[in-house]
């Protein structure tokens, strides 16, 4: 019998996991898994549990939001023995990563997908050589929205909660002078926003990043927005995002990289996967190519063909 560890955050999203829990466990058990169920008790509890259980399970299933998933992925990425594949049942308020990988948002379907799906080796990132992130590291403008939006509000409003908090901050944009170094760009300028990501959906919104994100290419997508000095600058940025002609806008830098460093005199607040990522003067971000396996939907022939083209 294969062994499964099923870790879930009972409070994430609207705590809806409670309604599906029994059914999910039944699905796993019917598929001949011996299931160990572990509800997290606090932040970092999921990380500690999975870290301590290295070598004990054939598959690790995680249910929660992006923050809980980050903990589980960080623990597995740190294994020195065989890394078990990670199944994910999204139950947070935005579930960016699941959306990006095409994992079903319906919990029962996501559980079935874990039984019927296939392993997908996926890139993740590492910040300052010690803190992993699954899909986004960011600073500036709206990045603190996710972790400063009260949980109660997130539970009631879900994705709208982020939008409400984001709009409240528009009038408050503060630029930060930074030196940014990578093989592709070496620049010193003032920025209101920076995002280094490996996902097509950020903050619950698709379309922030150009299409064609490859989760296995060992590259991040980088988006940097320069300081807004006048209404024309603001208009240029808004137009660029509306028309999706971001490459033509000189207020925005977009490129791909596998290694990038940000230096600033001022301390900058970062987020990793939508959670507080610390306050730093120096941040280095590197890709760990295909570092963990996620269980995703089996791709149909046509999708496979699209991926190869
Ligand atoms: N039982 C718990 N009590 C309090 N906090 C917890 C518990 N379990 C996990 N956490 C922490 O809560 C944070 C947020 O949880 P999670 O990401 O699962 O849900 P969410 O915030 O509702 O979803 P999203 O990240 O999509 O907005 C995580 O960083 C996690 O470490």
């Amino acid at each position: 019998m294969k062994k499964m560890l099923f870790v879930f955050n009972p409070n994430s999203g609207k705590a809806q996991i409670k309604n599906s829990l029994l059914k999910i466990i039944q699905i796993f058990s019917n598929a001949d898994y011996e299931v160990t169920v572990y509800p997290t008790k606090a932040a970092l509890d999921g990380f500690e549990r999975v870290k301590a259980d290295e070598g004990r399970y054939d598959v690790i299933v995680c249910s929660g939001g992006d923050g809980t998933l980050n903990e589980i992925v960080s623990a597995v990425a740190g294994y020195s023995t065989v890394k078990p594949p990670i199944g994910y049942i999204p139950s947070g308020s935005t579930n960016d990563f699941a959306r990006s990988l095409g994992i079903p948002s319906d919990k029962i379907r996501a559980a079935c997908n874990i039984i019927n799906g296939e392993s997908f080796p996926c890139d993740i990132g590492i910040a300052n050589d010690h803190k992993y992130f699954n899909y986004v590291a960011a600073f500036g403008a709206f990045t603190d929205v996710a972790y400063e939006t009260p949980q109660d509000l997130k539970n009631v409003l879900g994705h709208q909660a982020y939008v409400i908090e984001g709009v409240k901050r528009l009038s408050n944009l503060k630029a930060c002078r930074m030196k940014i170094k990578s093989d592709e760009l070496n620049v010193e300028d003032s920025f209101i926003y920076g995002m280094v990501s490996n996902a097509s959906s950020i903050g619950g919104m698709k379309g922030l990043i150009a299409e064609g994100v490859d989760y296995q290419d060992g590259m991040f997508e980088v988006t940097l927005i320069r300081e807004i000095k006048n209404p024309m600058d603001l208009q240029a940025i808004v137009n660029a995002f509306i028309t999706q002609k971001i490459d033509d806008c000189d207020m925005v830098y977009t490129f791909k990289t596998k290694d990038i460093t940000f230096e600033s005199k001022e301390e900058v607040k970062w987020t990793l996967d939508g959670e507080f990522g610390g306050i730093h003067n120096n941040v280095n971000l590197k890709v760990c190519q295909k570092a963990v396996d996620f269980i995703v939907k089996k791709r149909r022939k046509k999708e496979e063909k699209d991926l190869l083209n």
Side-chain angles (χ1 to χ4, degrees), residues 55-120:
R56 293 205 186 126
Y57 293 96
D58 300 298
V59 57
I60 296 183
V61 173
C62 158
S63 182
D66 293 323
T68 300
L69 181 65
N70 174 287
E71 290 191 19
I72 303 324
V73 169
S74 300
V76 172
Y79 281 5
S80 52
T81 55
V82 176
K83 298 179 177 65
I86 300 170
Y88 182 41
I89 301 177
S91 66
S93 33
T94 48
N95 303 313
D96 276 329
F97 194 64
R99 211 183 278 243
S100 295
L101 279 188
I103 291 173
S105 56
D106 177 84
K107 294 173 191 55
I108 304 299
R109 284 184 53 220
C112 293
N113 175 60
I114 291 167
I115 298 307
N116 299 323
E118 63 188 6
S119 265
F120 180 80

Side-chain angles (χ1 to χ4, degrees), residues 145-166:
V145 168
Y147 58 84
E148 284 182 6
T149 305
Q151 184 71 48
D152 290 352
L153 189 62
K154 282 202 237 173
N155 286 352
V156 176
L157 294 173
H159 168 223
Q160 269 174 299
Y162 293 119
V163 177
I164 291 167
E165 285 293 313

Side-chain angles (χ1 to χ4, degrees), residues 263-305:
E263 280 175 36
S264 57
K265 285 211 177 91
E266 242 179 276
E267 292 199 307
V268 175
K269 213 166 169 188
W270 282 78
T271 81
L272 299 177
D273 292 344
E275 305 287 328
F276 181 59
I279 298 175
H280 308 276
N281 297 98
N282 285 299
V283 170
N284 170 257
L285 306 170
K286 286 190 189 75
V287 176
C288 309
Q289 191 170 14
K290 298 185 183 175
V292 289
D293 283 12
F294 288 97
I295 305 173
V296 300
K297 264 199 292 196
K298 274 204 178 113
R299 287 169 207 282
R300 280 173 283 129
K301 283 267 172 328
K302 185 180 172 322
E303 285 171 342
E304 248 165 40
K305 222 172 104 195

Side-chain angles (χ1 to χ4, degrees), residues 1-7 33-38 46-61 75-76 79-85:
M1 221 181 195
K2 285 184 286 181
K3 291 190 170 180
M4 173 189 285
L5 175 62
F6 174 29
V7 181
Y33 279 98
E34 183 187 300
V35 190
T36 303
V37 180
Y38 188 76
F47 172 80
E48 296 296 345
R49 172 69 203 241
V50 173
K51 189 177 159 206
D53 277 342
E54 177 167 358
R56 293 205 186 126
Y57 293 96
D58 300 298
V59 57
I60 296 183
V61 173
V76 172
Y79 281 5
S80 52
T81 55
V82 176
K83 298 179 177 65

Side-chain angles (χ1 to χ4, degrees), residues 207 210 235-249:
Q235 193 61 49
I237 293 170
V238 171
N239 287 352
F241 281 101
I242 290 175
T243 59
Q244 288 289 296
K245 289 186 178 154
I246 298 164
D247 290 345
D248 300 344
C249 176

